């Protein structure tokens, strides 16, 4: 069994859903040494999440943003935690919905995703900072 | 450490939430060789998801479907991505909510789930296709 | 590669979102033997979930509870599964939204979370029972 671990910093993204598959794969070349294994990704933040979704048509990412804003609206009177702006508490809730970590099978040194799947960074703050990820890859 | 990996194809299911625990366990007998480990499951699609929930009463699966349709409605004017029908974009969003992968402890060759837990295939398309899963099991 | 597995029982919590990081880390000292690895946590119940979110300000946990109750309301006429009360079916749905398992990198024997991240037990029942967790830790 092999085990690799690495921390990387993503470039800043504006609020919305963004494809970061190539960025992650490009930064973690150790993964290629794994014949059969798992890639695990944690985002070390509570106002941005990770998801797997459609990797081709940008309208999917656009509609995802629109709907998450309906499902978790800003400026509702019942939020107490809004010190950092109207996007503060909604960002925490959206993160709880999509989740903070992913795990994806590795087969012959490559991510074994479906044809249409990509890794999304879900940036829920109006002014996103650089997001830190912990990448772990393990297997035979 | 042992590591097994296998791709399987589920039978077609109609739109809704469906128990597939027995199907997965039955197709992946290598898992029995693991004394203490993890089963990882990825669904290679972006319009169907995986979840762990109640394994007994069918009304749970029924109500789950009803509520997800309220939480992510079809035919709203703000969706742009509807080329494949009114269920297209909602299927992507519901997948982001439940997630595309599961991991479950293995103890003495068996899934170590709670008494009432089962694995759900969440089929979000009106006409679901055969869904492909990557199964990985590893441990001592 | 090392692999440790253990079942623990959390103290009872009232309905809401609760920080349990210290409880989990304190009960699973075997984790300290892992230089580089993963901690996996499964909750063996379908009416309580696990999440990673903000570990400092209690208003985040308060607003999380308020918003989940808006997003998944009780006493709506379309729920059939309400044998155990109005919180019964909403608890299953909320569990599907946040998820039943977490995985977190271990680095030098410690959880490698962000500064503001903690592990939440999401108790969705009015009268929560003792919740059972399966903890697995593995790595080099």
């Amino acid at each position: 069994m092999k085990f690799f671990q690495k921390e990387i910093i993503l470039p800043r993204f504006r609020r919305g859903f963004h494809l970061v598959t190539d960025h992650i794969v490009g930064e973690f070349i150790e993964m290629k040494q794994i014949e059969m294994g798992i890639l695990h990704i944690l985002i070390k933040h509570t106002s941005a999440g990770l998801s797997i979704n459609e990797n081709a048509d940008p309208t999917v990412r656009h509609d995802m943003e629109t709907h998450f804003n309906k499902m978790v609206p800003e400026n509702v009177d019942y939020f107490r935690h809004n010190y950092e702006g109207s996007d503060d508490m909604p960002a925490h809730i959206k993160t709880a919905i999509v989740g903070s970590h992913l795990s994806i099978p590795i087969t012959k040194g490559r991510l074994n995703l479906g044809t249409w799947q990509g890794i999304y960074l879900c940036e829920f703050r109006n002014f996103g900072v650089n997001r830190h990820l912990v990448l772990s890859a393990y297997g035979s």
Side-chain angles (χ1 to χ4, degrees), chain A residues 42-106:
Chain A
L42 174 81
I43 184 164
K44 298 179 83 169
H45 304 263
T46 62
S47 57
L50 295 170
S51 190
I52 296 173
N53 221 291
E54 214 259 3
N55 63 12
D57 187 343
T59 61
V60 173
R61 273 112 68 199
H62 172 274
D63 290 355
M64 200 70 81
E65 170 69 14
T66 312
H67 186 75
F68 269 77
N69 293 337
K70 299 277 179 188
M71 203 162 57
V72 189
E74 296 180 26
N75 299 308
V76 289
D77 57 10
Y78 55 80
F79 285 146
R80 293 186 190 174
H81 183 89
N82 50 16
Y83 317 129
E84 295 182 14
S86 64
D87 58 326
D88 184 354
M89 190 60 216
H92 292 303
I93 296 170
K94 291 167 179 173
T95 300
I97 295 171
V98 298
S100 307
H101 60 89
L102 296 176
S103 48
I104 299 170
I106 299 168

Side-chain angles (χ1 to χ4, degrees), chain A residues 2 20-21 26-27 29 36 42 56 58 67 76 79 84 115 127 133 135 140:
Chain A
K2 291 167 185 158
V20 294
T21 320
E27 291 259 14
I29 53 168
M36 200 160 65
L42 174 81
H67 186 75
V76 289
F79 285 146
E84 295 182 14
T115 312
F127 302 101
L133 305 180
L135 309 179
S140 60

Side-chain angles (χ1 to χ4, degrees), chain A residues 2 9 13 18-19 21 27 30 32 39 50 65 80 92 95-96 98-99 105 107 112 120 122 130 139:
Chain A
K2 291 167 185 158
I9 302 175
F13 285 95
H18 305 278
L19 277 170
T21 320
E27 291 259 14
E30 295 86 344
K32 293 184 186 166
L39 170 67
L50 295 170
E65 170 69 14
R80 293 186 190 174
H92 292 303
T95 300
V98 298
T107 308
N112 192 345
Y120 281 18
C122 316
N130 284 105

